Amino acid sequence: GENVEQHPSTLSVQEGDSAVIKCTYSDSASNYFPWYKQELGKRPQLIIDIRSNVGEKKDQRIAVTLNKTAKHFSLHITETQPEDSAVYFCAASNAGKSTFGDGTTLTVKP
Amino acid sequence: DGGITQSPKYLFRKEGQNVTLSCEQNLNHDAMYWYRQDPGQGLRLIYYSQIVNDFQKGDIAEGYSVSREKKESFPLTVTSAQKNPTAFYLCASRLTSTFNTGELFFGEGSRLTVL
C-alpha cells in the first residue's frame, strides 16, 4: 500500500519568514496530493491541493510543488503569520483512498 | 447549515465494552470515511464506504466495525477486540464525482477514552 513520509515533524519560524514542509510517497499510482491544516482542537481543513498532471500551484501565500519522478511534493508558506501556527498534514490519494503523513507542527513566533 | 456531525464529542468507556460513534452528513456526499488520529501520528484509515450498503476495510480495521444503511449515516463501533481504542476519531465525506481527486470534509471528531 501507499506510504507517506513527512518532514520535519516540528518547525518553528519567525513571523514573516518562509516555511517549507516536504512529503514523499511510495505508490506511483497516487494522483492527488492535498494539504490539510488542523488548528488545535479543530477539524482538519483543506488549504491547497495538486493533481498529478500539474507541477505547481499557488494560492496567495501558499504554494505546493510536485515532482512525480522523485515522488515528492512540498508545501511552501511565505510571509508567515502567527495564525499560520497549526499542524499541517500532507496526503497522497488513489482510487478514493487517502494516506496521510504524520503531520508537521508549525509554530510562527511573533 | 451543511456539514458533518459527529457525536458524542467525548466518550469514556470501560475495558471490555463496545461503543458506537455516530457520524451524520447532510452534504449529499456518497463516500464516507473513518480515520483514527493518535498524538504525533497522521490520520489512519479505519473503514470507508463509497455507496450505501457497501464498505471496505482501511489500513487499521481490526477491532472496528461499521454499517452504511443510509447515505447520510456511517456509524463506527469500537469493539472490545480493539486493543488500544483510546484515540481521537474523525469522520469525513467526499463527493463521489470527485472520488479520486477531491477534498475530504471532516467532522469535529470524537475523543474516546478507555478507563
Side-chain angles (χ1 to χ4, degrees), chain A residues 36 38 43 51 95-96 101, chain B residues 33 37 94 99 101 104 106 108:
Chain A
Y36 291 84
Q38 187 177 28
R43 71 187 84 192
R51 286 160 176 74
Chain B
Y33 303 77
Q37 186 174 23
R94 173 186 270 154
F99 184 68
T101 57
L104 282 170
F106 286 91
E108 293 195 338

